[in-house]
Amino acid sequence: MHVPDVSVVVIVYNDAERLPTAVRSVLDQTLAGVEVVIVDDCSKDRSFAVAQELEAAHPGRVRAFRLPENSGGCGAPRNHGIQQATGTYVMFLDSDDVLDRNACRNMLQAAETTGSDLVSGMCVRVFVDNRFGKTSEWYPWIYSRTRTLESISEYPDLLVYDTLSTNKCYRRSFLLDNDLRFPVGIHYEDLLFSAQAYVAARRITLIPNRVYHWNVVEKAAAKSISNRRHEIANFVHRMEIHRRVDELLAAKGHTAIKSAKDAKFLKHDLVLHLRDLPWLDDTYRTEFARLANGYLAGIDPAAYDNVTHLQAICAYLLGKEDWDNLLPAADAMTNKGRLTSPLAERDGRVYWCAQHIDDPADTEARRILDVTDQGFHTTPLASLHLGNRLTGYEDDGRGTVTLTGSLVNPLGRITTDVELSAELEFRARRQVGVRSFTFPVSSVRHAGDTIEWSGTADIGRTVRPLGIIDAVWDVRLKLKAGEDRITSRVSAGGVDLDRAATLRVRPRLTRLVSDRFEPEVTKKGNLSYVLVAQGPAAVRTSALINNAIHGKAAGLVKRGLRKALHARRNLGSGEQKVKVYHEVFSKLPVKKGTVVFESHMGKQYSDSPKAIYEEMVRQGVAFEAVWSYAGARPTGFPKDATLVKRWSWPYLRALAQAEFWIDNQGFPLALAKRPGTTYIQTWHGSALKRMGFHEPRTKAQGRAGQAKFQKAIDRFDHFLVRSEHDVRTLAKGFRLRDEVLLRTGYPRNDALVAAHRAELDSGERVRGPLASELGIDPDKKVLLYAPTFRANADGHVEGFTFPFDVEEFAERLGDRFVLLVRTHYLNSVSLPPSVAGRVIDVSRHHDITPLLALADGLITDYSSVMFDYSVLDRPMLFFAYDYDTYANDIRGTYFDLKEKAPGPVVATADELFQAISAFEEADAKYAEARQRFLAEFGEYDRGDAARQIVEKFFTRSGK
């Protein structure tokens, strides 16, 4: 008898309808030697009869078995399948899922090639009830490439994250020899079985191929066992499985894996249940805390350092059973970015809550509850997503509702002296027709750590939905506090809405569709209203609606609506915008005198484009200025210019019709420049790190990617350089022709040249109004710390963290120096309140030039600001703590900074502090080095770059 290559065990329970599809996905495999072993878990429907029919239709390829009684889980039928399998390898498939057509072939080939006991491939979640065909890959980074492991200890992430049993192929002899079986009578059996298999396997191979399609029904009426998290027995099973896995890892000496698994428990398993706590009763919470805290006591303390601040905070507060602070923290974790706590400040640090941090016996409280680095105390109020909890709900049973709520006021930042006003907004989630309706809030006042509000909305008379099209409406509070505008979703909080009445509304289409608003709590715990049909003819109306929804006429309407919405979405898509830009806007005439300016992709009004613009204004040039901006609203841009949002329709039309483009980084690569448009690329700094085609990332793009990049660069008509170093590096890195280069220097540095000349002429340093604005002590030296951004080899920008202790700086050097911190525009920073006045964050200042002019000294690493600052002939310090990695492993450099740096190059924080202490000594010691540095890297910065550009391109004498 021929032995199959692979036996696929298909388990089924009460799923007769979908079973044939699952089996067909096995029979249609591109690998011929595959058998199907169906195990029915004593179904109550026709599942076993269907299995027998499939066996009869495919003799020799399909075998059907039935357990004598239902086991209540997946373990028993899978174990029976292992016993009945005859193949060399075994795989598992659930009746509601399918295998990728090449799954068995790809996994068998990998197993035979490597001799592995276990092969694992990519699982893809398919959201079958999603109309847009949504899919998501299951931990794709694990399967980014083919790799073979001699032990699970080589790659702990596999055991920690991919605990599925179904995307794997097991050598059957391996399962039998190691007596590997699924636990029976307990849920989450995959976690334990997978851990046992990983630990026992002599060799494991991972392949980047898709092998398993996990069908997910998001709106299922009956939740799967693992998704019924409101049942305490569910959590009991989860804890028991985790304990068994921990015992296994301990017995095998896998302590490193245990620590990683603990971190995953904190940020995944525990989080799943914490999200549901606000809606569960005290009995559940008490038992949940007892079970969880018993397990948390054995968690590796190091695991808390590898999770987000909120995940650690929630686990800590759960251990304290501090529900008053835990429930808001759980809400914040569910709603990413939401601040639900009023915070507390102690000794210059900011904490999630005031409780526990003053207990001297609790050594972990301050460490875990510290949220200073999150920047809640410095982020503009309008940019914070403040928690807004519903505290009261009343309705008149007809069409009016009164809402009462409490908005978090972190650290009292909404001060008692500002005037408060607010309104409630009811906004349709699907934006069709009228978008929103607003109602004034009758009462809004300060109440300690919160802002309390109350408002009445006459929904019945005012809100006019279309009908079934805009079925869901969300509620927001829009608060005006002085100059701040704060918008927040209204969380349902602890208010019981089960007894709330439905509210009468008047749809603009027909009341047969819907005539009531029913309050609902969303998945994230927020208050919404859903349109429903009710009233005296409810039964007849429901029947009409049901017939209408499923009838032919409704099908036509739905298809028409979907087509219209699809067209509307496509109209705003990037692909469609690029098409319209080239086929419509680029056919319009070029508008003489129109200049489009952009700095750092619209993020700032700054740099050389700003200097050129202001020189044009100073000289009285007749032109139409268009400035591009990114983000929700422009700040700091000139009021006499036309402002257009980047990638908006006005932006595209302006670019298509402009006579000049001026920017310092790059207009969108997909937009071709017209022959009648002149593109002046000012760029944004000389190069230390390799650029353009000299970058490893660009070299790795292949011919197609490089050709696209070259096409974008070829749009440059003129490219500004400030030295022959730029010609040898930047110009060659971008493959620019010599006739494209303008040896003018950078317009942004004209102000620095002028400041240096004024200082030489007068013999004194004039700090100007910026020093007063920042509150700088005139008796202290000003140092500017301006590091570059960090990116890995793939070009992914990494988050910024201080490479030295700013509190130590303030303590050791704050009596002599003020440190201005200006991160790269791709990064952000948060400073603790304890350093106020001694360390100042100036990252939100768009233009760095005034900061350079203000600073008595510069501290940087590899940022191009070193070249600009050299114009001022002032001291520089180079904190190159990761120089070898930066220079050799990431992008490479054009020269050795240590050889040419016009100031001390230090590698540790202590060396940095010592160098700052010897500030005056370094000033004199490196004077000649600064002159050499300027001569080599800034020879064309003479203070007239902007004037040269304007006279060459925009004045009559120049033309």
Side-chain angles (χ1 to χ4, degrees), residues 838-855:
R838 295 172 291 179
V839 184
I840 303 172
D841 178 18
V842 291
S843 300
R844 290 191 176 91
H845 284 252
H846 280 190
D847 198 351
I848 196 174
T849 302
L851 297 171
L852 293 173
L854 171 62

Side-chain angles (χ1 to χ4, degrees), residues 622-640:
F623 71 111
E624 180 186 352
V626 178
W627 269 94
S628 132
Y629 71 91
R633 59 175 67 91
T635 56
F637 288 84
K639 295 181 180 180
D640 54 351

Side-chain angles (χ1 to χ4, degrees), residues 14 32 36 101 107 137 169 218 231 241 252 264 280 290 310 320-321 366 482 496 534 569 587 610 637 649 823 831 929:
N14 288 350
V36 183
R101 193 162 183 267
M107 300 182 96
E137 295 178 334
C169 180
E218 291 183 295
E231 300 173 4
I241 287 291
K252 299 297 182 179
K264 195 237 184 177
L280 298 171
R290 184 186 69 80
L310 272 174
K320 296 291 184 181
E321 296 190 39
R366 292 204 173 196
D496 184 6
Q534 212 176 63
R569 281 194 298 271
K587 301 297 189 293
K610 172 187 176 184
F637 288 84
W649 291 112
T823 59
L831 296 172

